[in-house]
Amino acid sequence: MVDRLKVGVLISGSGSNLQAIMDQCDKKNINAEVVFVGSDNKEATGLLKAKNSNIPYFVVDYKKIIKNCKKTPEFKLPNDYDLNKIKASQNLFPKNSVKEKINFFLLSRARAEAELLNKMCKHQFDLLVLAGFMHKLTPYFISKVNTPGKLPKIMNIHPAILPSFPGICGYEDTFNYGCKVGGCTVHFVDFGEDTGPIIGQKVFSITPDDTIDSIKRKGLEKEWALFPECIQLYANNKLKLETYSYISGLGKQITRTVVKQQSG
Ligand code: GAR
């Protein structure tokens, strides 16, 4: 029998995606098992879902860490931290953003991320999935999780049809724009915000009687199916990356890395 893919999950909220993934694992519909659940927030009700399923869980209190960083400007950084290197590789902020703002963001997140890494490394895992984890991850964390030359190891689910509506309010932004279809996307995490290679997407119609709440419900139902499907593609080694350059419709030279599904 092929080993089951060991999946770590990070959440911030109710964990309905976590539950959908655990259910598909339990039913053996996907060749995976959840080996830990982490949260940035001790109030996340999704942690109870981990507890009820006897899955190890932990909290890294981002709010407290960031507050402490604000109070103590000379806060201690991980020994291997190189701010200039991280700054040069990040795509979370435009390069002309206020320097102090970027520095504080990256340095304070480094403290939280070092603690996350420390807690995660107690569990062996093949894939890390962000199931409603509401913090941006920096290149410091991402580079420590990924293995150079191999497929990325972090997957995120986003509540919109990327590349439209990145950020934290995908369904609200879709609805308020007046879109007639909405959807969700699973993608690998790169050094930008919701910019990584797209693995899978599902869509739904938005009708005149829809509200933000009704499209969130429609969207979540699609998410619960999409995330396990993408994990299964990863478990079965069906994904590979390809990089190519092209001229966009707006005449810009673009280089993109995309996910291709391998047949067989
Ligand atoms: C989901 O809709 C997910 O797409 C979204 O948070 C929700 C988590 O729900 N993620 C993001 O917005 C990430 N930027 P859940 O806790 O019930 O799984």
Side-chain angles (χ1 to χ4, degrees), residues 107-263:
L107 294 171
S108 57
R109 289 330 177 266
R111 287 206 56 191
E113 291 177 350
E115 207 173 311
L116 257 187
L117 288 164
N118 192 25
K119 299 213 159 143
M120 282 166 35
C121 76
K122 302 198 166 64
H123 311 272
Q124 204 207 329
F125 65 96
D126 308 303
L127 177 69
L128 181 67
V129 303
L130 311 181
F133 185 69
M134 302 309 277
H135 284 280
K136 294 176 211 163
L137 295 170
T138 76
Y140 172 70
F141 179 92
I142 298 166
S143 303
K144 292 219 175 262
V145 174
N146 285 344
T147 310
K150 296 250 172 88
L151 215 51
K153 274 175 78 175
I154 312 177
M155 262 186 205
N156 179 44
I157 189 146
H158 181 74
I161 310 172
L162 290 173
S164 293
F165 310 121
I168 55 169
C169 297
Y171 292 136
E172 288 86 342
D173 289 345
T174 302
F175 182 81
N176 289 329
Y177 200 92
C179 295
K180 307 304 177 229
V181 287
C184 53
T185 303
V186 169
H187 63 95
F188 285 123
V189 173
D190 68 2
F191 294 166
E193 183 169 10
D194 302 323
T195 50
I198 291 171
I199 302 163
Q201 294 182 304
K202 285 196 188 288
V203 297
F204 54 84
S205 299
I206 299 177
T207 51
D209 52 345
D210 267 321
T211 59
I212 290 183
D213 282 347
S214 70
I215 79 155
K216 274 188 186 166
R217 277 196 299 277
K218 285 183 184 178
L220 273 173
E221 270 180 36
K222 297 289 177 189
E223 293 184 29
W224 301 332
L226 178 65
F227 221 166
E229 279 173 27
C230 293
I231 293 171
Q232 179 69 343
L233 288 171
Y234 195 96
N236 285 349
N237 248 326
K238 295 283 186 200
L239 305 175
K240 67 173 180 174
L241 294 184
E242 265 179 38
T243 301
Y244 63 96
S245 295
Y246 62 97
I247 307 288
S248 76
L250 294 173
K252 267 172 91 177
Q253 168 88 35
I254 311 267
T255 300
R256 269 213 75 76
T257 299
V258 300
V259 173
K260 295 278 178 189
Q261 267 189 50
Q262 317 203 72
S263 52

Side-chain angles (χ1 to χ4, degrees), residues 9-15 37-47 62 130-135:
V9 183
L10 296 182
I11 60 167
S12 297
S14 67
V37 175
S39 176
D40 59 306
N41 157 24
K42 59 181 183 312
E43 311 292 337
T45 51
L47 290 172
Y62 264 62
L130 311 181
F133 185 69
M134 302 309 277
H135 284 280

Side-chain angles (χ1 to χ4, degrees), residues 26-40:
D26 287 349
K27 290 181 190 156
K28 306 252 182 328
N29 288 342
I30 59 175
N31 190 27
E33 61 180 319
V34 176
V35 291
F36 70 78
V37 175
S39 176
D40 59 306

